[in-house]
Amino acid sequence: MPSITRRRTANVGRPTSAEADILAATQRLLINGANFTELGVQQISTEAGVARSTFYSHFRDKIDLLMRLATELMSSSFDVTSAWKPSDGVERLEDAFLQVVKVYRKHAAVRRALAEVATYDATVRDFWNAELNQFTNWTITLLRAEQDAGRTPADLDPASATRVIVMGGERALVDHVTTGDPGSDAAFAREMALTWWYGVYRRPAGSSK
């Protein structure tokens, strides 16, 4: 996937008060149904209770703002998944995915905005691909280590399997939090965990032949 320079979005430390207000205000507007493309900087600033000039002292533009919001979504998700290791087993993986579902529900409006803007902005598209690449690299590393230890079949192709479960899983996750009943979150997390575990991590040897 292409690498990009994340402009000022690379500053992902604890936000200042005004910065946090702008991020929260934007997410609030999106949750309330605003279309990100049509949102103006003045509208965001007014909602945040800051001057327009304050917005530009913290964000280069709206794209920079969106990528900061997306970084929060992906960082939270990656923190949860990267804390899991195969020795924890499938039940802990199920718990991890349930936490990720909750993160995606909290940031669903931001994820919709990303999908919207990525259709016409290459910077956002490349940024999102780079963020997903964290999950891809992490999963490939785990699978290769499991293969070396003899716990995952040697005939499994880590790169291809990872593409299916990471890219396919993320799309299924977005669809679930967008259209699914929150009451089915636990069932969704369980099915995802079982698919990863028995379909990839503990796939029966020789089943791909």
Side-chain angles (χ1 to χ4, degrees):
M1 293 183 182
S3 61
I4 62 171
T5 300
R6 296 189 184 177
R7 308 192 300 184
R8 287 167 46 170
T9 261
N11 177 18
V12 293
R14 184 183 297 276
T16 64
S17 178
E19 191 176 0
D21 288 344
I22 293 168
L23 290 167
T26 305
Q27 186 155 355
R28 203 159 52 241
L29 288 167
L30 292 172
I31 290 172
N32 289 334
N35 179 288
F36 185 82
T37 301
E38 296 174 358
L39 268 180
V41 170
Q42 184 58 58
Q43 184 179 358
I44 294 170
S45 300
T46 299
E47 178 71 20
V50 301
R52 183 185 176 92
S53 59
T54 301
F55 176 96
Y56 285 110
S57 70
H58 293 287
F59 303 96
R60 179 172 178 173
D61 51 30
K62 282 175 52 184
I63 296 300
D64 192 27
L65 168 63
L66 179 58
M67 291 194 296
R68 262 303 294 278
L69 287 167
T71 297
E72 290 188 2
L73 162 62
M74 295 305 286
S75 295
S76 297
S77 299
F78 187 66
D79 286 348
V80 171
T81 53
S82 62
W84 177 85
K85 52 188 182 298
S87 60
D88 292 333
V90 66
E91 290 185 0
R92 291 288 297 276
L93 181 59
E94 181 182 338
D95 292 340
F97 280 139
L98 183 55
Q99 292 181 59
V100 171
V101 170
K102 292 178 180 178
V103 170
Y104 264 69
R105 282 209 177 278
K106 178 181 178 181
H107 297 278
V110 172
R111 183 62 183 87
R112 285 195 296 272
L114 279 167
E116 169 196 333
V117 178
T119 61
Y120 60 80
D121 189 286
T123 300
V124 170
R125 190 162 54 248
D126 290 347
F127 165 83
W128 185 244
N129 287 338
E131 290 294 307
L132 284 178
N133 205 34
Q134 286 189 91
F135 291 91
T136 299
N137 292 336
W138 173 78
T139 304
I140 289 174
T141 298
L142 283 186
L143 285 175
R144 286 176 175 163
E146 290 297 288
Q147 284 181 316
D148 291 342
R151 291 185 291 266
T152 294
D155 60 357
L156 178 139
D157 177 14
S160 296
T162 295
R163 184 174 182 82
V164 171
I165 61 178
V166 172
M167 302 300 289
E170 206 273 336
R171 290 178 183 177
L173 184 55
V174 170
D175 179 71
H176 175 72
V177 301
T178 301
T179 64
D181 179 2
S184 66
D185 285 355
F188 178 86
R190 176 174 172 77
E191 291 303 324
M192 180 172 278
L194 292 173
T195 297
W196 280 50
W197 187 253
Y198 293 109
V200 177
Y201 280 97
R202 295 297 180 266
R203 176 190 298 176
S207 61
S208 62
K209 294 180 180 179

